[in-house]
Amino acid sequence: MSNILKPLTKEEFNILSKIKFNNINEGFENYTSGILSVEESKDGEDFKDYNLKYESRFINFVKEAFILNNRKPILIDFYLKDLESESILKILDLLDYDDKLIFIDNLKALKEDTIYFLVEEEGLIPFLTRLSTREIFFITMYFTEVPLALWGNYNLSFPMFFKGERALNSYLNIAKNNSLLIRDISYK
């Protein structure tokens, strides 16, 4: 098992991705959308405790989405190439030991000038999800069999973009199974 992301060119990404948009507003305008979140209020809890308390629910959601998509590679945009030394040090300071190793291995393997990657191994899902739930680095994940774009995280609220009602219903079930909800649904 390798914890190395496979680089993609923009052209390869565009061929494989079923959901495409240039910015989040364009996503909301063109796709059925919603916000993946927890029901519980953040009242009285600081940011770190709140996010860590519910993090496993989001990791499990992404793992189940991976399974729903027949374990086909997840496409991601991940701006590793744009990191400067100071940013890398800040990120490393915020990561757990195992995540530091994965992050360093991927930085060392980075040979392509791209922001697009394939996630072929389920073992990378917790690392990538934690980057978002801890608001260390924002990544967009694109699932292709049951099309979904899962956009970074803002206070444990992940914007989601679906291609069709079947996709929405599938992810509503996964959210429910993980004590999460998809709120503010807008149909297109």
Side-chain angles (χ1 to χ4, degrees), residues 128-157:
L128 294 167
T129 307
R130 281 191 292 268
L131 287 174
S132 288
T133 56
R134 296 178 185 188
E135 298 185 16
I136 296 170
F137 209 103
F138 297 107
I139 297 169
T140 304
M141 298 181 182
Y142 302 85
F143 296 87
T144 58
E145 293 288 299
V146 183
L148 166 70
L150 183 64
W151 188 286
N153 161 51
Y154 305 93
N155 293 323
L156 283 190
S157 296

Side-chain angles (χ1 to χ4, degrees), residues 51-182:
N51 285 33
L52 293 178
K53 181 177 177 180
Y54 299 110
E55 181 173 77
S56 65
R57 295 181 188 186
F58 292 93
I59 292 169
N60 290 333
F61 176 91
V62 176
K63 284 181 177 181
E64 287 186 35
F66 182 65
I67 292 166
L68 174 70
N69 283 270
N70 299 313
R71 298 183 186 276
K72 298 276 186 188
I74 303 168
L75 309 172
I76 63 169
D77 60 28
F78 189 18
Y79 289 77
L80 279 176
K81 72 176 186 75
D82 295 337
L83 289 175
E84 296 179 8
S85 298
E86 185 177 312
S87 297
I88 291 169
L89 291 173
K90 285 180 184 177
I91 290 169
L92 285 169
D93 190 47
L94 297 169
L95 294 174
D96 296 339
Y97 179 77
D98 290 340
D99 288 346
K100 285 180 186 184
L101 296 177
I102 294 170
F103 185 69
I104 290 168
D105 286 347
N106 277 283
L107 284 172
K108 289 191 317 191
L110 189 64
K111 294 179 176 72
E112 310 286 329
D113 186 28
T114 186
I115 61 166
Y116 302 107
F117 298 91
L118 280 179
V119 179
E120 297 177 313
E121 299 293 333
E122 188 174 339
L124 280 168
I125 290 172
F127 162 69
L128 294 167
T129 307
R130 281 191 292 268
L131 287 174
S132 288
T133 56
R134 296 178 185 188
E135 298 185 16
I136 296 170
F137 209 103
F138 297 107
I139 297 169
T140 304
M141 298 181 182
Y142 302 85
F143 296 87
T144 58
E145 293 288 299
V146 183
L148 166 70
L150 183 64
W151 188 286
N153 161 51
Y154 305 93
N155 293 323
L156 283 190
S157 296
F158 288 75
M160 306 174 78
F161 305 93
F162 310 94
K163 193 164 188 178
E165 195 168 332
R166 175 184 164 259
L168 170 62
N169 289 332
S170 296
Y171 292 109
L172 281 166
N173 288 331
I174 293 174
K176 183 178 178 183
N177 291 343
N178 288 287
S179 299
L180 297 171
L181 63 103
I182 300 175

